[in-house]
Amino acid sequence: MKVIILAGGYGTRISEYTKKIPKPMIKIKGKPIIYYIMKHYAKYGHKDFYIALGYKGEVIKKYFKKKHPNWNIKLIDTGKKTMTGGRLKRLSKYIAENETFMMTYGDGVSNINIKNLISFHKKLKALVTLTAVRPPARFGAIKLIKNTVTYFKEKSRLDEGWINGGFFVMHKNFLKLIKNDKTYLEKEPLSIVSKKKSLTAYKHKGYWQCMDTLRDKEIIEKEIHKIS
């Protein structure tokens, strides 16, 4: 099954690195984070990668020109200002009619069981399956009455709601709902599928971490062993 990775955003919230390189190329233990994402898919036998490039895409091209893992990698320019939905739409010519494929972002790692994710998608026969995760809690929870704390609890990920963790399985027909380069995948297209009751969520209770900030990078540095 093909794996599409969106790797073209500006990554402005971690500009300490992204002034020079795209976010998927930020190194964790000496290797770019996109390498770990691809390695995880490859572990489950999925080695056919289509990487949607944008901002500083030449850096990713240069890396894979030197590195030759036993994977099939296609690097496709999808425009510097193209939004997430638009990037996916631009790759539609690489996906056959009635084909099911996987998609994820180039900045999030997880120990998700890819085999179980695909089985879940096929069983429910949805148009799109996303992976729902509970985000790592960042703050403790308190309740106040005037100036008195009536409830205090140390931060716990169980207090957080489910969010979209990426790691999608999609049918080609979904791409018809993406209008153009300006379309955000997370807005109109997924909202439409949700209203049609064709969007399912695979709940992943294991490890997941995205890299939006420098603090996130430091966390992943310490926990990267959890995805293997």
Side-chain angles (χ1 to χ4, degrees):
M1 191 178 287
K2 293 183 177 77
V3 180
I4 291 175
I5 301 177
L6 303 186
Y10 286 96
T12 53
R13 283 187 284 181
I14 192 167
S15 60
E16 298 92 337
Y17 289 92
T18 54
K19 286 178 181 178
K20 295 182 179 180
I21 60 174
K23 189 158 65 161
M25 289 304 294
I26 296 175
K27 289 185 177 180
I28 304 294
K29 301 287 186 182
K31 294 184 183 297
I33 190 168
I34 194 171
Y35 168 81
Y36 292 99
I37 297 167
M38 295 167 76
K39 184 181 178 185
H40 188 70
Y41 278 104
K43 172 183 170 183
Y44 288 90
H46 302 284
K47 303 176 182 179
D48 197 8
F49 297 102
Y50 293 73
I51 304 177
L53 305 176
Y55 175 70
K56 293 192 179 296
E58 66 277 2
V59 178
I60 298 177
K61 287 181 179 179
K62 187 177 180 181
Y63 175 78
F64 283 110
K65 191 174 181 180
K66 291 181 178 179
K67 301 291 179 180
H68 297 283
N70 187 27
W71 304 334
N72 175 37
I73 305 170
K74 285 185 173 62
L75 305 168
I76 302 126
D77 291 308
T78 56
K80 288 186 178 180
K81 296 183 179 180
T82 309
M83 298 298 106
T84 48
R87 293 193 191 284
L88 181 57
K89 181 89 169 180
R90 286 204 184 195
L91 268 60
S92 60
K93 65 181 180 181
Y94 298 98
I95 304 163
E97 293 303 317
N98 295 317
E99 184 176 357
T100 298
F101 62 95
M102 290 184 283
M103 192 221 85
T104 194
Y105 305 103
D107 62 355
V109 292
S110 175
N111 66 351
I112 181 172
N113 186 309
I114 301 295
K115 181 180 179 181
N116 289 349
L117 169 64
I118 294 171
S119 295
F120 176 88
H121 175 82
K122 289 180 176 179
K123 183 179 179 181
L124 272 67
K125 298 179 181 178
L127 190 63
V128 178
T129 296
L130 62 77
T131 297
V133 299
R134 291 189 186 277
R138 296 178 185 269
F139 309 102
I142 65 171
K143 291 180 182 178
L144 296 174
I145 294 180
K146 293 186 178 180
N147 295 323
T148 302
V149 176
T150 60
Y151 171 90
F152 175 86
K153 188 172 184 181
E154 188 50 87
K155 58 186 179 182
S156 166
R157 66 184 296 144
L158 296 178
D159 290 334
E160 305 291 329
W162 293 96
I163 64 167
N164 169 25
F167 296 93
F168 294 89
V169 184
M170 300 172 165
H171 189 277
K172 172 73 178 279
N173 286 341
F174 171 66
L175 303 186
K176 296 176 183 176
L177 301 176
I178 301 172
K179 288 184 180 179
N180 52 40
D181 283 356
K182 296 181 180 179
T183 304
Y184 286 89
L185 175 71
E186 301 77 13
K187 292 184 178 179
E188 297 94 342
L190 288 180
S191 178
I192 292 170
V193 177
S194 176
K195 288 175 183 176
K196 289 184 175 182
K197 303 279 193 291
S198 293
L199 175 64
T200 58
Y202 175 80
K203 292 181 179 178
H204 174 61
K205 298 178 181 179
Y207 184 74
W208 176 88
Q209 177 68 51
C210 67
M211 187 177 64
D212 282 332
T213 65
L214 189 58
R215 172 64 177 148
D216 293 334
K217 178 188 181 296
E218 292 168 353
I219 291 170
I220 294 174
E221 284 273 2
K222 295 176 183 176
E223 300 178 343
I224 195 64
H225 64 280
K226 293 183 179 182
I227 73 168
S228 58

